[in-house]
Amino acid sequence: MSTRNVRQALYQPGYLRSAWPWRAVLYLMSSAPVGLLALLGIIVLALVGGVLTILVLGLGVLAALGLAGVPVGAIERRRLRLVDDRPARSPHRPPDEPGLLAWARVRYQERATWYELAYAVLFAFGLWMADAMALLGALGAPLSMMATPILLALDGGGQAQVLKYWSVTSYNEAAAWSLAGAMLLPVALYCLGTFAGLRAAFARLLLAGPDDPLREELGEVARSRARLVHAFEAERRRIERDLHDGAQQRLVALTMTLGLARLDAPPGPLADQLAKAHDEAGKVLAELRELIHGIHPQVLADRGLEAALEDAADRSPIPVLVHAPGLGRLPEPVEKAAYFVVCEALANVAKHSAAALAEVGAEVREGALFVSVVDDGVGGAVLRRGGSGGGAGVDAGGSGLTGLSDRVAALDGTLTLSSPPGGPTILGVEIPCEPIEAFG
Protein backbone atom coordinates (compact mmCIF):
# COMPACT_ATOMS: atom_id res chain seq x y z
CA MET A 1 0.00 0.00 0.00
CA SER A 2 1.42 3.36 -1.01
CA THR A 3 2.03 5.95 1.69
CA ARG A 4 -0.31 8.90 1.19
CA ASN A 5 0.42 11.09 4.22
CA VAL A 6 2.90 11.65 6.99
CA ARG A 7 0.78 9.81 9.57
CA GLN A 8 0.96 6.62 7.51
CA ALA A 9 4.66 7.17 6.87
CA LEU A 10 5.39 7.25 10.62
CA TYR A 11 4.55 3.53 10.81
CA GLN A 12 6.81 2.59 7.92
CA PRO A 13 10.35 1.32 8.65
CA GLY A 14 11.91 3.65 6.09
CA TYR A 15 10.40 6.85 7.48
CA LEU A 16 13.73 8.54 8.22
CA ARG A 17 15.07 7.66 4.78
CA SER A 18 12.03 9.08 3.00
CA ALA A 19 11.11 12.69 2.21
CA TRP A 20 8.25 12.74 4.72
CA PRO A 21 10.23 14.12 7.72
CA TRP A 22 11.46 17.05 5.66
CA ARG A 23 8.03 17.58 4.13
CA ALA A 24 6.71 17.87 7.70
CA VAL A 25 9.46 20.37 8.52
CA LEU A 26 8.62 22.41 5.41
CA TYR A 27 4.92 22.34 6.30
CA LEU A 28 5.59 23.74 9.76
CA MET A 29 8.13 26.28 8.46
CA SER A 30 5.69 27.66 5.87
CA SER A 31 3.06 28.16 8.55
CA ALA A 32 4.64 31.33 9.97
CA PRO A 33 4.52 33.56 6.85
CA VAL A 34 0.95 32.53 6.03
CA GLY A 35 -0.10 33.05 9.65
CA LEU A 36 1.51 36.48 9.80
CA LEU A 37 -0.29 37.54 6.61
CA ALA A 38 -3.59 36.26 8.00
CA LEU A 39 -3.01 38.11 11.27
CA LEU A 40 -2.14 41.32 9.45
CA GLY A 41 -5.14 41.04 7.13
CA ILE A 42 -7.64 40.43 9.94
CA ILE A 43 -6.25 43.28 12.05
CA VAL A 44 -6.23 45.73 9.13
CA LEU A 45 -9.80 44.85 8.09
CA ALA A 46 -11.04 45.14 11.67
CA LEU A 47 -9.31 48.49 12.26
CA VAL A 48 -10.34 50.02 8.93
CA GLY A 49 -13.90 48.78 9.32
CA GLY A 50 -14.06 50.12 12.88
CA VAL A 51 -12.69 53.53 11.92
CA LEU A 52 -15.02 53.84 8.94
CA THR A 53 -18.08 52.65 10.82
CA ILE A 54 -19.44 56.18 10.76
CA LEU A 55 -19.51 55.86 6.97
CA VAL A 56 -21.42 53.34 4.89
CA LEU A 57 -18.08 52.11 3.50
CA GLY A 58 -17.10 50.81 6.92
CA LEU A 59 -19.99 48.37 6.93
CA GLY A 60 -18.73 46.88 3.67
CA VAL A 61 -15.25 46.44 5.11
CA LEU A 62 -16.63 44.70 8.20
CA ALA A 63 -18.76 42.50 5.94
CA ALA A 64 -15.62 41.55 4.03
CA LEU A 65 -14.08 40.50 7.35
CA GLY A 66 -16.58 37.64 7.44
CA LEU A 67 -15.02 36.30 4.25
CA ALA A 68 -11.45 36.56 5.50
CA GLY A 69 -11.29 32.82 6.02
CA VAL A 70 -11.95 32.02 2.35
CA PRO A 71 -8.46 32.89 1.00
CA VAL A 72 -6.82 31.46 4.12
CA GLY A 73 -8.72 28.20 3.59
CA ALA A 74 -7.68 28.05 -0.07
CA ILE A 75 -4.00 28.52 0.83
CA GLU A 76 -4.14 26.01 3.67
CA ARG A 77 -5.76 23.35 1.49
CA ARG A 78 -2.83 23.72 -0.90
CA ARG A 79 -0.31 23.61 1.96
CA LEU A 80 -1.81 20.33 3.13
CA ARG A 81 -0.29 18.64 0.06
CA LEU A 82 3.10 18.96 1.78
CA VAL A 83 2.13 16.33 4.36
CA ASP A 84 -0.85 14.65 2.69
CA ASP A 85 -1.01 13.57 -0.96
CA ARG A 86 -4.80 13.27 -0.84
CA PRO A 87 -6.41 16.31 -2.48
CA ALA A 88 -8.30 18.55 -0.06
CA ARG A 89 -11.37 19.46 -2.10
CA SER A 90 -12.92 22.85 -1.65
CA PRO A 91 -16.25 22.58 0.20
CA HIS A 92 -17.64 25.63 -1.62
CA ARG A 93 -20.15 25.38 -4.43
CA PRO A 94 -20.00 27.68 -7.45
CA PRO A 95 -22.58 30.49 -7.53
CA ASP A 96 -25.55 30.11 -9.84
CA GLU A 97 -25.07 33.59 -11.28
CA PRO A 98 -21.97 35.52 -12.35
CA GLY A 99 -20.75 38.55 -10.42
CA LEU A 100 -19.15 39.41 -7.09
CA LEU A 101 -22.45 39.94 -5.26
CA ALA A 102 -23.76 36.51 -6.28
CA TRP A 103 -20.47 34.93 -5.16
CA ALA A 104 -20.56 36.72 -1.79
CA ARG A 105 -24.22 35.79 -1.23
CA VAL A 106 -23.49 32.10 -1.78
CA ARG A 107 -20.41 32.20 0.47
CA TYR A 108 -22.29 33.83 3.35
CA GLN A 109 -24.91 31.09 3.17
CA GLU A 110 -22.41 28.24 3.36
CA ARG A 111 -21.39 26.59 6.60
CA ALA A 112 -17.91 26.04 5.19
CA THR A 113 -17.31 29.81 5.10
CA TRP A 114 -17.76 30.08 8.86
CA TYR A 115 -15.57 27.04 9.51
CA GLU A 116 -12.88 28.73 7.43
CA LEU A 117 -13.29 31.98 9.37
CA ALA A 118 -12.95 30.11 12.67
CA TYR A 119 -9.81 28.39 11.39
CA ALA A 120 -8.39 31.70 10.09
CA VAL A 121 -8.82 33.32 13.52
CA LEU A 122 -7.23 30.35 15.31
CA PHE A 123 -4.44 30.24 12.76
CA ALA A 124 -3.70 33.96 12.88
CA PHE A 125 -3.72 34.25 16.67
CA GLY A 126 -2.11 31.00 17.75
CA LEU A 127 -1.67 28.03 15.44
CA TRP A 128 1.25 29.41 13.45
CA MET A 129 3.01 30.30 16.69
CA ALA A 130 2.50 26.74 17.96
CA ASP A 131 3.95 25.42 14.69
CA ALA A 132 6.99 27.66 15.06
CA MET A 133 7.52 26.66 18.70
CA ALA A 134 7.23 22.95 17.85
CA LEU A 135 9.73 23.37 15.03
CA LEU A 136 12.23 25.32 17.13
CA GLY A 137 11.79 23.08 20.14
CA ALA A 138 12.21 19.81 18.24
CA LEU A 139 15.02 20.81 15.86
CA GLY A 140 16.71 23.54 17.87
CA ALA A 141 18.15 21.29 20.57
CA PRO A 142 19.67 18.53 18.39
CA LEU A 143 20.98 20.96 15.77
CA SER A 144 22.51 23.16 18.46
CA MET A 145 24.18 20.13 20.03
CA MET A 146 25.48 18.94 16.66
CA ALA A 147 26.97 22.41 16.03
CA THR A 148 29.00 22.40 19.29
CA PRO A 149 32.40 21.72 17.60
CA ILE A 150 31.76 24.56 15.16
CA LEU A 151 30.86 26.93 17.97
CA LEU A 152 33.97 25.92 19.89
CA ALA A 153 36.15 26.49 16.83
CA LEU A 154 34.60 29.90 16.21
CA ASP A 155 35.47 30.83 19.78
CA GLY A 156 39.11 29.93 19.15
CA GLY A 157 39.01 26.70 21.13
CA GLY A 158 38.21 28.45 24.38
CA GLN A 159 34.64 27.78 25.45
CA ALA A 160 31.24 27.10 23.88
CA GLN A 161 27.78 27.07 25.46
CA VAL A 162 25.50 24.12 24.77
CA LEU A 163 21.79 24.96 25.07
CA LYS A 164 22.89 27.95 27.24
CA TYR A 165 23.36 25.70 30.26
CA TRP A 166 26.49 23.61 29.73
CA SER A 167 29.98 24.89 29.00
CA VAL A 168 32.28 22.93 26.69
CA THR A 169 35.99 23.61 26.78
CA SER A 170 37.48 20.74 24.78
CA TYR A 171 36.92 19.22 21.39
CA ASN A 172 36.35 15.78 22.94
CA GLU A 173 33.41 17.15 24.89
CA ALA A 174 32.20 18.98 21.81
CA ALA A 175 32.34 15.75 19.78
CA ALA A 176 30.35 13.93 22.47
CA TRP A 177 27.68 16.63 22.43
CA SER A 178 27.60 16.53 18.63
CA LEU A 179 27.12 12.74 18.67
CA ALA A 180 24.31 13.07 21.23
CA GLY A 181 22.63 15.66 19.02
CA ALA A 182 22.88 13.34 15.99
CA MET A 183 21.27 10.55 18.02
CA LEU A 184 18.52 12.92 19.20
CA LEU A 185 17.72 14.18 15.68
CA PRO A 186 15.73 11.07 14.55
CA VAL A 187 13.60 11.33 17.69
CA ALA A 188 12.96 14.98 16.91
CA LEU A 189 11.97 14.15 13.32
CA TYR A 190 9.49 11.54 14.54
CA CYS A 191 8.03 14.08 16.98
CA LEU A 192 7.74 16.70 14.25
CA GLY A 193 6.07 14.19 11.90
CA THR A 194 3.54 13.31 14.59
CA PHE A 195 2.81 16.96 15.34
CA ALA A 196 2.55 17.86 11.64
CA GLY A 197 0.18 14.95 11.03
CA LEU A 198 -2.13 15.99 13.87
CA ARG A 199 -1.94 19.61 12.78
CA ALA A 200 -2.84 18.71 9.18
CA ALA A 201 -5.70 16.48 10.33
CA PHE A 202 -7.18 19.40 12.29
CA ALA A 203 -6.85 21.72 9.29
CA ARG A 204 -8.44 19.17 6.96
CA LEU A 205 -11.36 18.64 9.36
CA LEU A 206 -12.26 22.34 9.38
CA LEU A 207 -11.36 23.23 5.78
CA ALA A 208 -12.35 20.15 3.80
CA GLY A 209 -14.61 18.15 6.11
CA PRO A 210 -14.05 14.59 7.36
CA ASP A 211 -13.04 11.91 4.89
CA ASP A 212 -16.26 10.02 4.31
CA PRO A 213 -16.50 7.87 1.16
CA LEU A 214 -20.21 7.31 1.77
CA ARG A 215 -20.80 11.05 1.95
CA GLU A 216 -18.93 11.50 -1.34
CA GLU A 217 -21.03 8.78 -2.96
CA LEU A 218 -24.26 10.30 -1.66
CA GLY A 219 -23.17 13.70 -2.92
CA GLU A 220 -22.51 12.27 -6.36
CA VAL A 221 -25.90 10.53 -6.31
CA ALA A 222 -27.58 13.86 -5.49
CA ARG A 223 -25.68 15.61 -8.28
CA SER A 224 -26.58 12.83 -10.72
CA ARG A 225 -30.22 13.08 -9.75
CA ALA A 226 -30.17 16.83 -10.33
CA ARG A 227 -28.57 16.29 -13.74
CA LEU A 228 -31.28 13.77 -14.62
CA VAL A 229 -33.98 16.25 -13.60
CA HIS A 230 -32.44 18.94 -15.80
CA ALA A 231 -32.12 16.50 -18.69
CA PHE A 232 -35.76 15.48 -18.20
CA GLU A 233 -36.82 19.12 -18.28
CA ALA A 234 -34.84 19.76 -21.45
CA GLU A 235 -36.46 16.73 -23.11
CA ARG A 236 -39.89 17.85 -21.92
CA ARG A 237 -39.38 21.27 -23.50
CA ARG A 238 -38.13 19.68 -26.74
CA ILE A 239 -41.24 17.50 -26.96
CA GLU A 240 -43.43 20.52 -26.26
CA ARG A 241 -41.71 22.50 -29.01
CA ASP A 242 -41.98 19.66 -31.51
CA LEU A 243 -45.68 19.15 -30.76
CA HIS A 244 -46.40 22.87 -30.96
CA ASP A 245 -44.45 23.60 -34.11
CA GLY A 246 -44.99 20.28 -35.87
CA ALA A 247 -47.97 18.10 -35.02
CA GLN A 248 -50.23 20.96 -33.92
CA GLN A 249 -49.62 22.97 -37.10
CA ARG A 250 -50.33 19.92 -39.25
CA LEU A 251 -53.56 19.25 -37.36
CA VAL A 252 -54.62 22.88 -37.82
CA ALA A 253 -53.97 22.59 -41.55
CA LEU A 254 -55.85 19.27 -41.67
CA THR A 255 -58.82 20.76 -39.81
CA MET A 256 -58.97 23.72 -42.17
CA THR A 257 -58.75 21.43 -45.22
CA LEU A 258 -61.55 19.21 -43.93
CA GLY A 259 -63.63 22.28 -43.17
CA LEU A 260 -63.22 23.62 -46.69
CA ALA A 261 -63.95 20.18 -48.18
CA ARG A 262 -67.06 19.93 -46.00
CA LEU A 263 -68.34 23.27 -47.34
CA ASP A 264 -67.68 22.29 -50.97
CA ALA A 265 -69.17 18.78 -50.75
CA PRO A 266 -72.83 18.31 -51.82
CA PRO A 267 -75.26 17.05 -49.20
CA GLY A 268 -75.10 13.32 -48.81
CA PRO A 269 -73.03 10.53 -47.25
CA LEU A 270 -69.74 12.14 -48.32
CA ALA A 271 -70.62 15.43 -46.61
CA ASP A 272 -71.62 13.54 -43.47
CA GLN A 273 -68.29 11.69 -43.39
CA LEU A 274 -66.38 14.92 -43.95
CA ALA A 275 -68.30 16.59 -41.11
CA LYS A 276 -67.51 13.68 -38.81
CA ALA A 277 -63.84 13.76 -39.76
CA HIS A 278 -63.77 17.54 -39.26
CA ASP A 279 -65.25 17.23 -35.76
CA GLU A 280 -62.81 14.44 -34.80
CA ALA A 281 -59.86 16.50 -36.05
CA GLY A 282 -61.08 19.41 -33.93
CA LYS A 283 -61.26 17.18 -30.84
CA VAL A 284 -57.77 15.81 -31.47
CA LEU A 285 -56.46 19.35 -31.86
CA ALA A 286 -58.09 20.38 -28.56
CA GLU A 287 -56.60 17.35 -26.78
CA LEU A 288 -53.19 18.09 -28.25
CA ARG A 289 -53.36 21.69 -27.06
CA GLU A 290 -54.31 20.46 -23.60
CA LEU A 291 -51.39 18.05 -23.68
CA ILE A 292 -48.98 20.82 -24.66
CA HIS A 293 -50.40 23.00 -21.89
CA GLY A 294 -49.75 20.20 -19.40
CA ILE A 295 -46.16 19.70 -20.54
CA HIS A 296 -45.22 23.31 -19.83
CA PRO A 297 -48.02 25.86 -19.42
CA GLN A 298 -47.19 29.19 -20.99
CA VAL A 299 -48.78 31.02 -18.08
CA LEU A 300 -46.15 29.51 -15.75
CA ALA A 301 -43.31 30.80 -17.90
CA ASP A 302 -44.89 34.23 -18.48
CA ARG A 303 -46.59 35.12 -15.19
CA GLY A 304 -45.16 32.82 -12.55
CA LEU A 305 -46.39 30.20 -10.10
CA GLU A 306 -49.28 32.19 -8.61
CA ALA A 307 -50.99 32.71 -11.98
CA ALA A 308 -50.27 29.10 -12.99
CA LEU A 309 -51.93 27.81 -9.80
CA GLU A 310 -54.98 29.98 -10.50
CA ASP A 311 -55.10 28.54 -14.02
CA ALA A 312 -54.87 24.98 -12.70
CA ALA A 313 -57.67 25.72 -10.24
CA ASP A 314 -59.90 27.08 -13.04
CA ARG A 315 -59.42 23.89 -15.07
CA SER A 316 -60.17 21.58 -12.13
CA PRO A 317 -63.57 19.82 -12.26
CA ILE A 318 -64.15 20.57 -8.55
CA PRO A 319 -64.05 24.00 -6.87
CA VAL A 320 -60.52 25.01 -5.80
CA LEU A 321 -59.52 28.02 -3.67
CA VAL A 322 -56.01 29.37 -4.19
CA HIS A 323 -54.15 31.36 -1.52
CA ALA A 324 -50.81 32.60 -2.89
CA PRO A 325 -50.74 36.40 -2.47
CA GLY A 326 -47.58 38.21 -3.54
CA LEU A 327 -45.73 34.99 -4.25
CA GLY A 328 -43.41 36.58 -6.83
CA ARG A 329 -41.13 34.85 -9.30
CA LEU A 330 -39.10 31.92 -8.06
CA PRO A 331 -36.28 29.90 -9.67
CA GLU A 332 -37.64 28.03 -12.69
CA PRO A 333 -37.01 24.47 -11.35
CA VAL A 334 -38.85 25.34 -8.13
CA GLU A 335 -41.85 26.79 -9.96
CA LYS A 336 -42.09 23.76 -12.24
CA ALA A 337 -41.84 21.23 -9.42
CA ALA A 338 -44.46 23.01 -7.29
CA TYR A 339 -46.83 23.46 -10.23
CA PHE A 340 -46.77 19.83 -11.34
CA VAL A 341 -47.18 18.59 -7.75
CA VAL A 342 -50.30 20.72 -7.41
CA CYS A 343 -51.66 19.58 -10.80
CA GLU A 344 -51.12 15.91 -9.94
CA ALA A 345 -52.68 16.40 -6.51
CA LEU A 346 -55.77 18.14 -7.95
CA ALA A 347 -56.16 15.40 -10.55
CA ASN A 348 -56.13 12.79 -7.78
CA VAL A 349 -58.59 14.81 -5.71
CA ALA A 350 -61.03 14.90 -8.63
CA LYS A 351 -60.52 11.23 -9.44
CA HIS A 352 -60.47 9.52 -6.03
CA SER A 353 -61.42 11.73 -3.10
CA ALA A 354 -65.14 12.50 -3.60
CA ALA A 355 -64.28 15.96 -2.27
CA ALA A 356 -66.56 18.97 -2.61
CA LEU A 357 -63.81 21.55 -2.20
CA ALA A 358 -60.02 21.77 -2.35
CA GLU A 359 -57.66 24.51 -1.25
CA VAL A 360 -54.18 25.31 -2.54
CA GLY A 361 -51.79 27.46 -0.51
CA ALA A 362 -48.32 28.70 -1.42
CA GLU A 363 -45.95 31.05 0.39
CA VAL A 364 -42.26 31.73 0.75
CA ARG A 365 -40.87 32.02 4.26
CA GLU A 366 -37.60 31.25 6.01
CA GLY A 367 -35.85 30.71 2.69
CA ALA A 368 -38.20 28.01 1.40
CA LEU A 369 -41.38 27.63 -0.67
CA PHE A 370 -44.22 25.95 1.21
CA VAL A 371 -47.09 24.54 -0.86
CA SER A 372 -50.14 22.73 0.50
CA VAL A 373 -53.12 21.02 -1.14
CA VAL A 374 -56.05 20.26 1.19
CA ASP A 375 -59.32 18.54 0.31
CA ASP A 376 -62.40 17.57 2.33
CA GLY A 377 -62.69 14.13 0.77
CA VAL A 378 -62.86 10.65 2.25
CA GLY A 379 -59.15 10.48 3.16
CA GLY A 380 -57.19 7.26 3.41
CA ALA A 381 -54.65 8.31 0.79
CA VAL A 382 -51.13 6.87 0.78
CA LEU A 383 -47.93 7.95 -0.90
CA ARG A 384 -46.59 4.78 -2.49
CA ARG A 385 -45.74 3.08 -5.72
CA GLY A 386 -48.88 1.55 -7.13
CA GLY A 387 -52.22 1.03 -5.46
CA SER A 388 -55.21 3.30 -5.21
CA GLY A 389 -57.12 5.20 -2.61
CA GLY A 390 -58.72 8.54 -1.99
CA GLY A 391 -57.66 12.12 -1.58
CA ALA A 392 -54.87 14.29 -2.82
CA GLY A 393 -52.08 11.91 -2.03
CA VAL A 394 -53.03 8.87 -4.04
CA ASP A 395 -50.21 7.64 -6.20
CA ALA A 396 -52.02 5.38 -8.61
CA GLY A 397 -49.95 3.33 -10.93
CA GLY A 398 -46.67 4.21 -9.30
CA SER A 399 -45.89 7.22 -11.49
CA GLY A 400 -47.81 10.10 -9.90
CA LEU A 401 -46.84 11.74 -6.65
CA THR A 402 -43.98 9.33 -5.99
CA GLY A 403 -42.23 10.53 -9.12
CA LEU A 404 -43.00 14.11 -8.12
CA SER A 405 -41.60 13.38 -4.66
CA ASP A 406 -38.34 12.31 -6.31
CA ARG A 407 -38.42 15.50 -8.36
CA VAL A 408 -38.88 17.61 -5.23
CA ALA A 409 -36.12 15.67 -3.46
CA ALA A 410 -33.74 16.53 -6.32
CA LEU A 411 -34.18 20.17 -5.25
CA ASP A 412 -33.42 19.24 -1.60
CA GLY A 413 -37.13 19.51 -0.87
CA THR A 414 -39.60 17.25 0.89
CA LEU A 415 -43.11 16.04 0.10
CA THR A 416 -45.36 14.95 2.98
CA LEU A 417 -48.87 13.51 3.16
CA SER A 418 -51.44 13.36 5.94
CA SER A 419 -54.70 11.57 5.09
CA PRO A 420 -56.55 9.91 7.96
CA PRO A 421 -59.69 7.93 7.11
CA GLY A 422 -62.57 10.37 6.78
CA GLY A 423 -60.25 13.24 5.80
CA PRO A 424 -59.08 15.84 5.44
CA THR A 425 -56.17 15.01 3.16
CA ILE A 426 -53.22 17.42 3.37
CA LEU A 427 -50.36 17.26 0.91
CA GLY A 428 -47.38 19.46 1.81
CA VAL A 429 -44.29 20.44 -0.18
CA GLU A 430 -41.24 22.33 1.09
CA ILE A 431 -38.51 23.39 -1.37
CA PRO A 432 -35.54 25.59 -0.36
CA CYS A 433 -35.43 28.73 -2.52
CA GLU A 434 -35.29 32.51 -2.50
CA PRO A 435 -37.58 34.78 -4.57
CA ILE A 436 -35.88 36.39 -7.55
CA GLU A 437 -38.66 38.94 -8.04
CA ALA A 438 -41.43 40.04 -5.67
CA PHE A 439 -44.92 41.01 -6.76
CA GLY A 440 -47.22 43.42 -4.98
Side-chain angles (χ1 to χ4, degrees):
M1 183 181 67
S2 60
T3 303
R4 303 187 63 185
N5 55 58
V6 69
R7 285 180 295 166
Q8 294 179 356
L10 286 168
Y11 297 97
Q12 302 298 323
Y15 171 72
L16 293 176
R17 297 191 304 271
S18 69
W20 288 108
W22 310 111
R23 291 174 67 170
V25 170
L26 184 59
Y27 175 71
L28 296 176
M29 285 180 61
S30 63
S31 181
V34 180
L36 285 171
L37 287 175
L39 177 62
L40 181 62
I42 291 175
I43 291 177
V44 169
L45 284 177
L47 290 177
V48 172
V51 172
L52 298 180
T53 303
I54 57 175
L55 303 175
V56 178
L57 182 61
L59 299 178
V61 175
L62 290 178
L65 185 60
L67 301 174
V70 175
V72 175
I75 295 174
E76 286 296 283
R77 281 189 289 270
R78 289 182 178 273
R79 260 192 351 110
L80 283 174
R81 297 302 296 269
L82 290 172
V83 290
D84 196 336
D85 287 337
R86 296 171 300 168
R89 297 183 179 88
S90 173
H92 298 294
R93 65 179 179 87
D96 299 326
E97 302 173 5
L100 181 60
L101 290 179
W103 177 85
R105 182 169 61 251
V106 171
R107 292 296 171 265
Y108 272 113
Q109 293 173 352
E110 291 179 317
R111 183 181 301 177
T113 301
W114 306 109
Y115 283 154
E116 287 178 332
L117 180 61
Y119 178 86
V121 173
L122 291 174
F123 185 45
F125 291 93
L127 286 180
W128 72 268
M129 302 176 195
D131 294 345
M133 291 176 62
L135 188 64
L136 292 175
L139 289 183
L143 292 180
S144 176
M145 293 166 62
M146 293 172 63
T148 303
I150 300 176
L151 296 176
L152 185 62
L154 292 176
D155 193 60
Q159 180 177 319
Q161 293 293 121
V162 180
L163 301 180
K164 297 184 179 181
Y165 290 102
W166 293 277
S167 297
V168 176
T169 58
S170 68
Y171 282 104
N172 289 335
E173 291 179 316
W177 277 107
S178 182
L179 180 61
M183 297 175 62
L184 185 60
L185 182 61
V187 179
L189 291 177
Y190 268 98
C191 292
L192 282 179
T194 303
F195 181 82
L198 294 175
R199 174 71 173 77
F202 175 73
R204 178 179 286 272
L205 180 64
L206 284 184
L207 302 177
D211 295 327
D212 191 345
L214 179 60
R215 176 180 297 181
E216 289 291 330
E217 292 180 7
L218 291 177
E220 181 57 32
V221 168
R223 290 188 290 271
S224 299
R225 184 172 59 183
R227 288 194 295 268
L228 287 175
V229 170
H230 291 311
F232 173 76
E233 286 301 327
E235 184 65 14
R236 179 195 291 266
R237 296 300 297 268
R238 186 191 65 79
I239 294 173
E240 176 203 7
R241 184 176 60 254
D242 291 345
L243 290 176
H244 184 276
D245 297 338
Q248 181 177 246
Q249 300 303 321
R250 291 179 179 273
L251 276 175
V252 170
L254 175 62
T255 303
M256 293 178 63
T257 302
L258 289 174
L260 293 174
R262 177 182 177 184
L263 293 175
D264 294 339
L270 178 59
D272 294 340
Q273 292 297 326
L274 288 173
K276 183 177 180 181
H278 183 253
D279 292 340
E280 288 296 327
K283 293 178 181 178
V284 171
L285 182 59
E287 291 179 0
L288 182 61
R289 284 173 174 166
E290 185 67 21
L291 176 62
I292 294 174
H293 184 279
I295 291 177
H296 186 80
Q298 194 63 35
V299 65
L300 180 64
D302 294 342
R303 299 173 54 196
L305 181 60
E306 182 179 356
L309 294 181
E310 294 282 358
D311 180 69
D314 292 340
R315 293 184 289 108
S316 175
I318 66 170
V320 179
L321 300 178
V322 177
H323 306 282
L327 191 59
R329 293 311 302 262
L330 304 172
E332 183 180 5
V334 175
E335 289 187 335
K336 288 181 179 178
Y339 172 78
F340 287 114
V341 166
V342 171
C343 288
E344 182 72 21
L346 292 180
N348 285 328
V349 169
K351 187 183 301 183
H352 303 289
S353 71
L357 179 67
E359 296 185 26
V360 176
E363 64 174 330
V364 176
R365 67 175 188 273
E366 300 176 358
L369 170 66
F370 293 85
V371 178
S372 63
V373 180
V374 183
D375 71 72
D376 58 0
V378 297
V382 291
L383 183 61
R384 66 188 181 192
R385 297 188 182 276
S388 62
V394 175
D395 192 3
S399 60
L401 290 182
T402 300
L404 293 175
S405 177
D406 294 339
R407 180 174 182 162
V408 169
L411 301 174
D412 292 330
T414 56
L415 188 148
T416 58
L417 177 68
S418 173
S419 183
T425 295
I426 303 175
L427 178 73
V429 173
E430 177 184 350
I431 306 176
C433 73
E434 290 291 343
I436 59 178
E437 180 183 345
F439 294 156

